Each structure stands twice: as structure tokens, then as C-alpha cells.
């Protein structure tokens, strides 16, 4: 089976989108124009944003239907609205594919995004671990039957639980207990980092911290850590302190689905609850989902009305299509190529003398430390964008430039791998990026001080790099059959 992104029947896809854009144009032509322009821009740029990808035409088209018009609060077969039989069908198929794809006991496909999945999972775990036993102790079945005083006590108990997650500057996500995020406010939070010397997770330090802090929830998973995680070890630590292990695989779900991460590196057999997005390396529609053991399934199923409103039925349908694609053999080849390409990109940097956090990668992320070029992450990100290379700045461990300017650039391979890039193309990408950074100088502020934001990119470099990128991009077209 060939790749569903590049092989969709070109004449069908072309005429479908041409006609759809005509229909949109008849109401608001500027939106049709912007939609065309977005395709042109995505086609013309080296997209190295680690969280982005290109979904297949089948996935994209599934989102544009009348399932968007239906309300379906509740669960499969138990809805608060009438006439949900087709939503039931769609949600059942999506959940079945998710269970089969990941070997999970239970799947919940309603969360609208990764953050919604995490919030839902947090409250599900609180309901399972705190509210359930609490109500049992109080001898009532339903919290509506609690006295006002008891309800106050339960609420205080729910809000006083401890959460231990990976810190943002070590590569964790905002929702893993970062103070300004709601996860850092609803929980009594603490964070673990990476070894400042190696940039690697230090499981012994994590175990010691967990033993001291005794979290109810231990969160594993990351958005900007270029290495694999041993989830068997994470579970051991969680068990030692009586914590629920929640793994947020938002970034690397595609590598789990494609069996690049197996055994101790596969979160599903080890975690109590796994949360994810569907649109990053998994290459589905923009959305979230949750996998859980049977034990947690009833609590997760309460996502609506606990945290969520009406599910996005059109997106659940598109998740089903994406999960079906990920169950095809070709997806395993795609996932392995993502990891192989990240190695090629990392080697391309190392062979040209650049520094990488942790010295390399064994997932889909490469974290380039740009301090050796005399730049901040912000300057590097902007200069690269001028040259048509789309990345995002990112903190490095113990970042001297803080979380806004940063000292790193995060690069990911899922999107360009979808376009067909392989070893040689990623080596060339590394060469082009190094060329841009070597030709960028930090600027100065109005007062003549060194600036962390302004920069000067040498004349002609942006155009030269754009031409070189265009050659790579033309050889590996995005949606090759789509004539727009
Ligand atoms: C991207 C990401 C999320 C959030 O996903 P959204 O769909 O943007 O809400 C959550 N957790 C991790 C680890 C992520 O990388």
C-alpha cells in the first residue's frame, strides 16, 4: 500500500478542492484566497516544526462535512441529544482503530486537542483516585448528595493533590505542571528536569524526587526532548510511590503507532493513562485522544460533561480515517523513516561542528544549541525564516537566555518525511541551516547594546538558501496530484 498523503487519486482530489474553493469563494473570496495561499506557502517552505505534519487528503476531506453540525454530548449509545446514531458509528470506529493500533484496553477519542486530552485525563484520575474513595468513605454515591461542608472538604482535597511532571525548559509541556498553566495551579506541582551536563533524563534523580514529593500523578512525555524514554522504569517509579503514571505521547504517537518505540519505550503497556494529539507525528486531524487501562475507563468516559462539551464529530470521523491509515503497513515504513531522518539531520549538524542538546537524537526531534554561532534562539529562528526555513526557538537546559529569547532551535522530521525527504535531503537541510547561522550576526539595540532579538543576515544568503531549498522541495512535492 503506498503512502496515503502522496498517492490519493490526483484528478479526484484536484477537482474536489477546486470546486470546494469555488463554493467558499462565492461567499467570502478572501478566505478562499487565503486557503490557496496557505497551500502555496506550505509547499514552498522547509517545514521543520517538530509538532507539524501534512495530513492525507482523505483525512482533510473527512473534516469538511455535516458531522460538524451535530451535537452529541455523552458517550457512545448514551447521548444527551437525539439522533446520534451516525455519530455513534463514527466514534465507535475511531475508538476501535485506536485500541487496535496501540494495543490499548480502552480509547476515548472525544478530546478536541492535546490540552483537552490532558485536562480530561487529570480530572479522570482525580475522580478515580480521590473523588471515588472519598464518596465511598462518606457513604454517598453521588456528590450532589454531599452536604455543603463535605463538598467544600472534597473540593479542597481534589485541589491539593500533587503532580510531578517534566519541566518546560527540559522539554516538558506547559500542561505538565508549568506554573502559569492551569495544571500548575490546579495541582500542588513539582517538576523534574534533565542532567545539566548531558541533557539526558536522570532516572535516579527522578526516583529520589518522586520519593520525597510523593505525587498522586507522575507525568512522562515531552515536546522538546530529543531522546527516547524508558516507560517501564517510569512505571516502576510511579509504583514505588503509589502514583498514577500518565504518559503524554502527543509528540511521538506516530513513532508508537509505527512500532519504532516498542518494549520499554512503548508507553501503552506501562502507563495507566496515555494522552495524545492526533495531528503531530501521527499525521491525523487536529485533535486529541486518551488511551487507558480498563480500570480507568469509566472515569475517562466522563470527559463530557466533566471537562468537555459536544464532541467534534467531523474530527472524530477524521481520526478514524487517520488511525486506519496508521494501521497500514506503509505507516511503519514512514515512522521508521522519521527516526532515520532525524539521525541524518543530527549527523549533518555534528559533522559540520554544530552542538546538539544530548549530542544527538533517537526520536524525531533535533535540538540545535545555537550559542556557538553567537546567536539566541530568537535570532536564529528569524534568520532561518527569512531563508524559508520554518523552525521554532526552544530553551536548552539551564538556558542562559531564558524562555523568551532561548538558546536553541527545535527541529523535527515528520513533515518533510511525509514529503519524501530521506538521508541526502536532510543532510543538505543541515548544511543550509548551518550556512544561514554562520552568516547571521547579532544586531544591536538603539542604545548600542548587544540585542537578543535583532540580527543581520549577510546579503544574498536568504535567496541562495531559498533556491537550494526549492530544488529539494520541487523534487519532493506536497500533495503532488493536487492541482491548485
Ligand atoms: C502539542 C502538545 C500538547 C498540546 O496539544 P494541542 O493540540 O496543541 O492542545 C500537549 N502535550 C504535549 C506533550 C504536546 O507536545
Amino acid at each position: 500500500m503506498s503512502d496515503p498523503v502522496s498517492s490519493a487519486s490526483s484528478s479526484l482530489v484536484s477537482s474536489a478542492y477546486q470546486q470546494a474553493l469555488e463554493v467558499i469563494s462565492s461567499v467570502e473570496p478572501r478566505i478562499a484566497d487565503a486557503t490557496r495561499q496557505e497551500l502555496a506557502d506550505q509547499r514552498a517552505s522547509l517545514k521543520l516544526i517538530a509538532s507539524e505534519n501534512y495530513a492525507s487528503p482523505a483525512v482533510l476531506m473527512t473534516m469538511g462535512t455535516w458531522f460538524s453540525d451535530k451535537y452529541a454530548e455523552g458517550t457512545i449509545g448514551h447521548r444527551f441529544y437525539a439522533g446520534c446514531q451516525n455519530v455513534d458509528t463514527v466514534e465507535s470506529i475511531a475508538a476501535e482503530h485506536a485500541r487496535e493500533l496501540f494495543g490499548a484496553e480502552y480509547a476515548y477519542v472525544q478530546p478536541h486537542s492535546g490540552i483537552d486530552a490532558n485536562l480530561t485525563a487529570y480530572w479522570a484520575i482525580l475522580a478515580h483516585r480521590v473523588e471515588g474513595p472519598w464518596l465511598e468513605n462518606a457513604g454517598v454515591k453521588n456528590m450532589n448528595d454531599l452536604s455543603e461542608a463535605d463538598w467544600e472538604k472534597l473540593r479542597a482535597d481534589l485541589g491539593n493533590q500533587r503532580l510531578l511532571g517534566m519541566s518546560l525548559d527540559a522539554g516538558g509541556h506547559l500542561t505538565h505542571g508549568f506554573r502559569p498553566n492551569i495544571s500548575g495551579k490546579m495541582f500542588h506541582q513539582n517538576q523534574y528536569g534533565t542532567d545539566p551536563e548531558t541533557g539526558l533524563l536522570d532516572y535516579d534523580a527522578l526516583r529520589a524526587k518522586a520519593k520525597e514529593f510523593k505525587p498522586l500523578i507522575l507525568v512522562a512525555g515531552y515536546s522538546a526532548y530529543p531522546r527516547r524514554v524508558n516507560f517501564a522504569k517510569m512505571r516502576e517509579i510511579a509504583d514505588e510511590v503509589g502514583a498514577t503514571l500518565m504518559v503524554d505521547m502527543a509528540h511521538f504517537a506516530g513513532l508508537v503507532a509505527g512500532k519504532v518505540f516498542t518494549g520499554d519505550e512503548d508507553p501503552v503497556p506501562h502507563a495507566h493513562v496515555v494522552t495524545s494529539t492526533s495531528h503531530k507525528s501521527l499525521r491525523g486531524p487536529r485533535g486529541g485522544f486518551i488511551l487507558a487501562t480498563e480500570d480507568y475507563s469509566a472515569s475517562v468516559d466522563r470527559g463530557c460533561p466533566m471537562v468537555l462539551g459536544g464532541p467534534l464529530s467531523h474530527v472524530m470521523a477524521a481520526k478514524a480515517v487517520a488511525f486506519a491509515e496508521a494501521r497500514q503497513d506503509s505507516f511503519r515504513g514512514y515512522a521508521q523513516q522519521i527516526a532515520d531522518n532525524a539521525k541524518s539531520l543530527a549527523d549533518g549538524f555534528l559533522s559540520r561542528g554544530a552542538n546538539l542538546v544530548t549530542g544527538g537524537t533517537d526520536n524525531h526531534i533535533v535540538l540545535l544549541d545555537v550559542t556557538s554561532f553567537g546567536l539566541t534562539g530568537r535570532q536564529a529562528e528569524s534568520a532561518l525564516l527569512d531563508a524559508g526555513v520554518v523552525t521554532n526557538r526552544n530553551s536548552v537546559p539551564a538556558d542562559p537566555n531564558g524562555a523568551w529569547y532561548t538558546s536553541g532551535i527545535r527541529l523535527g522530521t515528520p513533515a518533510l518525511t511525509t514529503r519524501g525527504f530521506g538521508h541526502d535531503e536532510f543532510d543538505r537541510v543541515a548544511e543550509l541551516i548551518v550556512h544561514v547561522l554562520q552568516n547571521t550576526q547579532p544586531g544591536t539595540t538603539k542604545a548600542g547594546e548587544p540585542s537578543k532579538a535583532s540580527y543581520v543576515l549577510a546579503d544574498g544568503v536568504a535567496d541562495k538558501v531559498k533556491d537550494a531549498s526549492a530544488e529539494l522541495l520541487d523534487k519532493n512535492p506536497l500533495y503532488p496530484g493536487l492541482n491548485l
Side-chain angles (χ1 to χ4, degrees), residues 366-386:
V366 173
L367 208 52
L368 178 63
D369 183 335
V370 298
T371 48
S372 66
F373 295 95
L375 300 170
T376 64
R378 167 93 186 242
Q379 290 161 332
E381 175 193 80
S382 306
L384 287 167
L385 190 62
D386 290 349

Side-chain angles (χ1 to χ4, degrees), residues 45 48 196 244 251 310 353 384 468:
S45 63
L48 288 155
T244 297
H251 246 264
L384 287 167

Side-chain angles (χ1 to χ4, degrees), residues 113-116 118 173 175-176 222-223 248 250-251 277 279-280 287:
S113 69
I115 283 194
D116 277 7
N118 284 350
H173 190 258
T175 51
H176 299 179
Y222 53 81
S223 306
D248 179 353
H251 246 264
T277 62
H279 51 274
K280 298 184 182 176

Side-chain angles (χ1 to χ4, degrees), residues 74-76 78 105-108 110 120-129 131-132 272-273 290-307:
T75 52
I76 300 164
H78 302 273
E105 290 176 13
Y106 167 79
Y108 185 66
Q110 291 193 19
T120 305
Y122 287 148
W123 281 110
I125 295 167
L126 288 173
H128 185 75
R129 296 281 311 267
E131 189 181 294
H272 299 94
V273 178
I290 300 173
L291 308 172
T293 57
E294 202 52 58
D295 194 28
Y296 281 83
S297 62
S299 308
V300 173
D301 235 10
R302 289 168 49 196
C304 170
M306 190 164 49
V307 172

